[in-house]
Every structure is written in C-alpha cells, then in structure tokens.
C-alpha cells in the first residue's frame, strides 16, 4: 500500500484522513490539491510529506509554458515557497523541495529540467524505501523476541515509502518470524495511533495493543514495556527531537521507569542548521481538532492550545537510529559524522 505515487498527469495519495474506515486513493492534479492534502493531513508523516511535495513541485513544473530557463527557475522557486508554506515542523518537506531545486540548477533546457524533476522525485521515493529498511534492521538489533515496545503517532509504512521508521522493526520482525508486541498510544487529538498505527500493524499481522495516551505510565508498569520507539519530524544539531505531541511525555516516563527511549529517523530528518530544539518551529493547529472528536463537539467554547508537536530534549534520548546505524549520546559531536560520507 503506497502512501504516494507518481502518474504522468497527477499524483495519487492514500487518504489517511479516511482510514481506518475507508481505503481511498485521491488524485492530486494541481499544486493547490497537493498543498491542501498536506495541510489537511490526508498525507502526513515527515518522509511522506517530503515525497508528496517533491512530486507536487515536479507536477507543477510540467505546466510551465516558458522556454526560458531563468523564467522557469523563478516559477519553480515561487511554487517551492508555496508548498513549503504547508506545514512548518517536519524538515523533510524543505529538504525534499530544496533537493529538487538543486537537481535542476545546471539544467541546459526547460525540457531537460522538467524531466529531471520527475526523475529526482521518483529517486527520492525509491531511496526512502531502502533507508527505512536499513533503519528497521538497525532498530531490530536493539530488541529481543517477545519484547513489548511502546510507540506514539504513526511513523509507519504509510508515513514513508515503505516499512516506516519507528514501525520498521515491527514489520521486519514479522518478516523474520520474530515476535515484537507494539503498544500504540492513540495520539490525541488527530488519533494517528488509533486510526493509522493500530490499522497498519494489524493489517500486517503484527501484535498491537491500543491504549489512550494517559494510560502510558500504567501500561509501562503493568505490561513490562521494554522500550519506547518513536519517529521524528526534525532532529536539531544537539539531538533535541521534535515529534508528535505526547512524545516528550513518553520520554519522561521512560526515564522514570528506566526504559530505553529511541528515536528512529532518516538523515533527511536531521537538521544541523537548527542548533537546538528551541529553534524548531512548532505547528499549532485548529482548535476544532481538540474540541471535536469524529465531528462531534465534546467541549464548551473555550480557549484551546493545540501544538501538533513537542520537543524531547536530547538527554532523554537513549539512541538515535538512522540508516547509517545507531548513535548513543553526545549527539552534537556524532550527528555531523553521519553526513561525512554523503558530503564527501
Ligand atoms: O502530524 P503528523 O501526523 O504528520 O505527525 C507525524 C509524526 O509526528 C511522525 O512521528 C513523524 O513525522 C515521523 S513519520 C516516519
């Protein structure tokens, strides 16, 4: 099941707002459709947002009428900025758009640039599958048969090209005949844990138990949770990590119970330009996400604070798992070394 797919005249996305009740694919034909799908969380999860935006930019560029390269670059930059305005926290969005812009910097004709953009976006999706598999292999080395592992939000196959990041070890364990039991926090207010993770893992035949977010402490104690693993939207240079709201609380609980707390993410989620978590922009979303559940109002008309993400300080993170391996502590020194080969 692919979260996003390129077709020559449009993009299709799995509508994650309709899950788990309906498995529905939407056709995105205009750049405005792509922007809207990202803003309204029809496609979500840092890598999937990046891939969709990349396809959206490639799609938009196909309709530019100019033959003049300078005009082409101006229009491309305008559309890059438009798509970049959809969501502020996941750095994969900006990483993907800028990678596309860079790919055509030396194009010698508009036609060549248009083809290159499509090619680059497709490559990104192919690479992401491989990256997620590697993350899963590394993560799996931390776990043992029978482990009960807690997660939040959905950092799974539908948030990436395949496998996911934090959910990759569960999918790989299943492939290898090993048993890992996932405890999925429902993830209020948008319920990515209940609607998406519980659905994705049960579809894949992985043992999954759903809990509400406020059951995490009791579950860690009563069910002997052996580790927590989460995805990331942006990892700052010092290791501070933005992820779905509620992640920070799980990290504090994990420390209280002396349970390891792991972050699983691709290099494209690491933002060395952002020094600490205080510099990561945190998206605030509409109050209706909190006051309503499934379209039903559950609260009086009061003020609402609805941050979509929080930042877990690096000192609460036992290890960061990337496609290049696992780093434990001293993130400020170790994170840049992950890019050495990439930059060489
Ligand atoms: O608001 P969302 O659903 O896009 O938030 C997603 C998360 O927080 C994920 O954990 C993160 O993007 C990693 S997805 C592999």
């Amino acid at each position: 099941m692919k979260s996003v797919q390129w077709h020559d005249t449009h993009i299709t996305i799995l509508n994650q707002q309709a899950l788990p009740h309906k498995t529905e694919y939407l056709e995105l034909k205009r750049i405005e459709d792509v922007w809207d799908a990202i803003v309204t969380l029809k496609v979500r999860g840092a890598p999937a947002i990046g891939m969709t935006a990349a396809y959206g930019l490639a799609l938009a560029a196909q309709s530019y009428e100019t033959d003049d390269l300078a005009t082409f670059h101006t229009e491309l930059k305008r559309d890059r900025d438009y798509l970049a305005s959809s969501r502020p926290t996941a750095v994969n969005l900006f990483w993907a758009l800028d990678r596309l812009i860079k790919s055509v910097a030396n194009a010698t004709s508009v036609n060549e640039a248009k083809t290159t953009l499509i090619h680059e976006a497709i490559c990104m999706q192919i690479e992401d599958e491989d990256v997620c598999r590697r993350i899963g292999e590394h993560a799996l080395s931390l776990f043992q048969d029978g482990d009960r592992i807690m997660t939040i939000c959905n950092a799974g196959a539908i948030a990436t090209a395949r496998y996911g990041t934090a959910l990759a070890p569960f999918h790989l364990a299943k492939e290898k005949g090993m048993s890992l039991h996932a405890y999925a926090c429902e993830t209020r207010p948008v319920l990515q844990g209940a609607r998406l993770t519980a659905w994705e893992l049960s579809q894949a035949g992985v043992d999954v138990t759903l809990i509400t977010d406020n059951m995490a402490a009791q579950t860690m104690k009563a069910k002997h949770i052996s580790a927590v693993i989460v995805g990331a939207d942006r990892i700052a240079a010092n290791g501070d990590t933005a992820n779905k709201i509620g992640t920070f609380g799980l990290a504090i609980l994990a420390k209280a119970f002396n349970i390891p707390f792991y972050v699983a993410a691709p290099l494209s989620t690491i933002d060395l330009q952002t020094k600490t978590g205080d510099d990561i922009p945190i998206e605030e979303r509409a109050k209706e996400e909190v006051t309503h559940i499934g379209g039903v109002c559950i609260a009086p008309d009061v003020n609402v604070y609805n941050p979509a993400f929080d930042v877990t300080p690096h000192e609460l993170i036992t290890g960061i798992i990337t496609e290049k391996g696992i780093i434990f502590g001293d993130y400020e020194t170790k994170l840049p070394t992950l890019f050495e080969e990439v930059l060489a």
Side-chain angles (χ1 to χ4, degrees):
M1 194 155 299
K2 287 218 183 296
S3 54
V4 52
Q5 239 174 326
W6 171 261
H7 304 269
D8 287 332
T9 53
H10 62 276
I11 305 162
T12 48
I13 57 156
L14 173 65
N15 181 3
Q16 299 195 32
Q17 282 291 25
L19 288 170
H21 308 298
K22 220 172 21 166
T23 305
E24 166 186 274
Y25 288 88
L26 301 175
E27 284 189 4
L28 312 179
K29 293 188 171 143
R30 303 170 314 138
I31 190 169
E32 291 83 4
D33 302 336
V34 176
W35 186 87
D36 180 74
I38 296 173
V39 170
T40 57
L41 310 183
K42 292 187 181 78
V43 59
R44 35 74 42 211
I49 291 170
M51 291 183 304
T52 307
Y55 280 138
L57 190 59
L59 184 68
Q62 304 311 306
S63 60
Y64 300 165
E65 282 174 356
T66 183
D67 284 331
D68 174 51
L69 263 176
T71 311
F72 178 87
H73 285 298
T74 306
E75 292 185 19
L76 195 65
K77 170 76 170 60
R78 177 202 60 206
D79 286 346
R80 177 254 172 237
D81 291 348
Y82 172 61
L83 288 168
S85 72
S86 55
R87 294 191 77 189
T89 305
V91 76
N92 304 61
L93 171 66
F94 312 101
W95 171 86
L97 289 168
D98 293 339
R99 179 169 155 176
L100 243 69
I101 296 273
K102 231 167 138 186
S103 74
V104 292
N106 298 320
T108 53
S109 73
V110 167
N111 271 348
E112 181 198 322
K114 286 181 177 177
T115 312
T116 302
L117 288 173
I118 299 172
H119 181 254
E120 191 70 11
I122 292 172
C123 278
M124 236 179 249
Q125 186 167 19
I126 294 169
E127 282 170 25
D128 191 60
E129 179 171 336
D130 180 55
V131 159
C132 287
R133 191 174 171 100
R134 284 165 198 259
I135 290 172
E137 298 280 4
H138 293 304
L140 203 51
S141 73
L142 296 164
F143 304 139
Q144 286 170 9
D145 204 30
D147 273 357
R148 299 158 185 218
I149 302 159
M150 189 173 285
T151 190
I152 189 166
C153 195
N154 173 271
I158 58 173
T160 60
R162 199 177 165 193
Y163 299 110
T165 55
L167 297 192
F170 297 96
H171 287 296
L172 290 185
K174 183 77 197 167
E175 268 183 33
K176 293 172 196 281
M178 181 178 159
S179 158
L180 292 183
H181 193 121
Y183 280 80
C185 296
E186 68 169 348
T187 321
R188 272 279 285 153
V190 179
L191 304 174
Q192 290 94 332
R195 295 189 303 103
L196 307 177
T197 293
W199 172 82
E200 176 182 321
L201 292 182
S202 58
Q203 289 271 314
V206 174
D207 280 335
V208 55
T209 299
L210 178 63
I211 58 167
T212 64
D213 302 328
N214 51 358
M215 295 171 187
Q218 169 63 14
T219 306
M220 283 182 188
K221 184 169 172 232
K223 297 295 178 185
H224 308 289
I225 297 295
S226 29
V228 177
I229 188 166
V230 299
D233 286 84
R234 193 185 298 225
I235 300 174
N238 69 346
D240 291 352
T241 294
N243 190 50
K244 181 50 56 193
I245 192 72
T247 302
F248 181 20
L250 286 188
I252 293 169
L253 289 179
K255 188 174 170 69
F257 285 102
N258 203 19
I259 294 168
F261 179 91
Y262 298 113
V263 170
L267 295 197
S268 51
T269 302
I270 298 169
D271 178 10
L272 297 179
Q273 309 309 316
T274 297
K275 293 270 167 287
T276 75
D278 289 342
D279 307 312
I280 300 176
I282 298 297
E283 178 183 11
E284 287 186 34
R285 295 186 58 88
K287 66 187 277 189
E288 288 73 22
E289 285 185 354
V290 175
T291 57
H292 289 62
I293 298 181
V296 177
C297 185
I298 49 114
D301 188 17
V302 291
N303 293 330
V304 168
Y305 173 49
N306 182 18
F309 302 96
D310 56 28
V311 174
T312 300
H314 59 93
E315 59 271 17
L316 293 179
I317 300 171
T318 311
I320 297 180
I321 307 158
T322 73
E323 64 269 37
K324 290 285 200 76
I326 310 167
I327 52 176
F328 298 95
D330 192 12
Y331 301 116
E332 194 144 17
T333 311
K334 292 177 186 167
L335 284 173
T337 66
L338 298 175
F339 292 88
E340 274 165 13
E341 212 179 290
V342 176
L343 295 175

